[in-house]
Amino acid sequence: MTDATPWSPQRISFNRNDGLPKYIAIARAVASAVAEEELRAGELLPSQKELAESFGVTVMTVRQAVQTLIEQGILRTEQGKGTYVCSRPYRLEMGPLASFAAQIAASGRTLRTELLGYAAVEVSPLEQRRMSLPTPEAFELVRLRFVDDVPLVLQTSLLPPAIAAELDVELLRTRSLYGMLWHDLGIRIDRATETVRATSLDAESAALLGRAEGEAALLCARLTHSADGRAVVDDRALTAGDSVVVAAERRSSEPGLEFKLAAGYPGLR
């Protein structure tokens, strides 16, 4: 959610005599105010004209400062509404395999889940092959995951019908799917193949995530296998592009992230 009341530029001052271009000085001053939480996530900036008048600079200078902060992920724009302070992105660690609930708990933040729907569905031939299903039938559940009461992830999960039939799906409002697979069904999660790619939000997804249609987003696809080699969950997790950063600690002596060109990339043969 965003605050419709703009903050006063009088709260921010910058050094005009430090030898820096004025737009950089303004950008640094605003970034410092955000870091110190003098400006909070979701706050609306005044118009560029108002900012220029307050800082005593030209509109072009303010425009350069704002663009610099947008590129740094500190500010964001919503067409027809204005410029806002970005929420601090959630750090998604590409480390040991864990449920989203476990990752949030480890970060000290609060997770809440809305169960938007679940049903038996007919899947595509590609999804059938990915999960090694005997027929093009699977069980789909859709959840909206809130972190600190802010909608962060729209998650769609496919499960084999035989596994879904043994789950009390309603309990997923308060419990982890991985936890239920292990504690309720005795299925131990062993490994997963995960890809993250850039996309954009459609109208429905944007509305659920409280964002604007067409905003940049990240789509994480994870195919999870049990210890006996079965594909048990095929996940799609969609989040706004400025809400999450993907992070990994990498060592020269260990395998790291693998980069692959997407199919259809220009020049790919």
Side-chain angles (χ1 to χ4, degrees), residues 113 141 143 168-177 180:
T113 299
L141 61 94
R143 292 169 289 171
D168 185 345
V169 178
E170 287 292 333
L171 293 179
L172 287 169
R173 300 180 190 275
T174 56
R175 294 182 61 189
S176 156
L177 175 57
M180 289 181 65

Side-chain angles (χ1 to χ4, degrees), residues 74-85:
I74 295 171
L75 301 180
R76 62 182 176 85
T77 59
E78 291 188 18
Q79 189 172 2
K81 294 184 178 181
T83 303
Y84 296 85
V85 180

Side-chain angles (χ1 to χ4, degrees), residues 227-239:
D228 60 7
R230 289 180 295 164
V232 293
V233 186
D234 193 3
D235 268 323
R236 299 290 186 278
L238 184 67
T239 184

Side-chain angles (χ1 to χ4, degrees), residues 73 75-76 86-90 211 215-217 239-245:
L75 301 180
R76 62 182 176 85
C86 288
S87 299
R88 186 171 298 175
Y90 169 70
R211 295 306 187 97
E215 273 195 46
T239 184
D242 62 358
S243 296
V244 169
V245 292

Side-chain angles (χ1 to χ4, degrees), residues 115 118-119 131 138-143 157-173 175-189 230-235:
L115 188 57
Y118 52 88
M131 298 189 72
F139 186 84
E140 179 182 70
L141 61 94
V142 183
R143 292 169 289 171
S157 305
L158 293 176
L159 293 87
I163 291 177
E166 298 184 50
L167 286 175
D168 185 345
V169 178
E170 287 292 333
L171 293 179
L172 287 169
R173 300 180 190 275
R175 294 182 61 189
S176 156
L177 175 57
Y178 277 19
M180 289 181 65
L181 289 173
W182 170 237
H183 294 293
D184 298 1
L185 276 62
I187 297 174
R188 183 168 66 85
I189 299 302
R230 289 180 295 164
V232 293
V233 186
D234 193 3
D235 268 323

Side-chain angles (χ1 to χ4, degrees), residues 1 12 16 20 68 73 83 89-90 133 145 155 163 170-171 174 210 222 224-225 227 248 259:
M1 298 296 292
I12 305 298
R16 299 169 178 273
L20 291 172
T68 297
T83 303
Y90 169 70
L133 296 171
R145 323 298 296 274
Q155 188 170 10
I163 291 177
E170 287 292 333
L171 293 179
T174 56
R222 177 193 282 189
T224 302
H225 292 80
F259 291 90

Side-chain angles (χ1 to χ4, degrees), residues 93-107:
E93 296 284 354
M94 298 294 283
L97 181 59
S99 71
F100 183 64
Q103 289 178 307
I104 295 298
S107 72

Side-chain angles (χ1 to χ4, degrees), residues 49-123:
K49 181 180 179 182
E50 291 171 317
L51 288 172
E53 291 174 352
S54 177
F55 288 130
V57 297
T58 66
V59 171
M60 179 60 72
T61 297
V62 167
R63 186 173 297 132
Q64 288 177 293
V66 168
Q67 184 59 39
T68 297
L69 293 166
I70 290 173
E71 291 171 357
Q72 293 174 354
I74 295 171
L75 301 180
R76 62 182 176 85
T77 59
E78 291 188 18
Q79 189 172 2
K81 294 184 178 181
T83 303
Y84 296 85
V85 180
C86 288
S87 299
R88 186 171 298 175
Y90 169 70
R91 183 180 174 92
L92 177 63
E93 296 284 354
M94 298 294 283
L97 181 59
S99 71
F100 183 64
Q103 289 178 307
I104 295 298
S107 72
R109 303 171 83 167
T110 302
L111 176 67
R112 176 168 64 86
T113 299
E114 284 190 9
L115 188 57
L116 301 183
Y118 52 88
V121 296
E122 182 174 335
V123 298

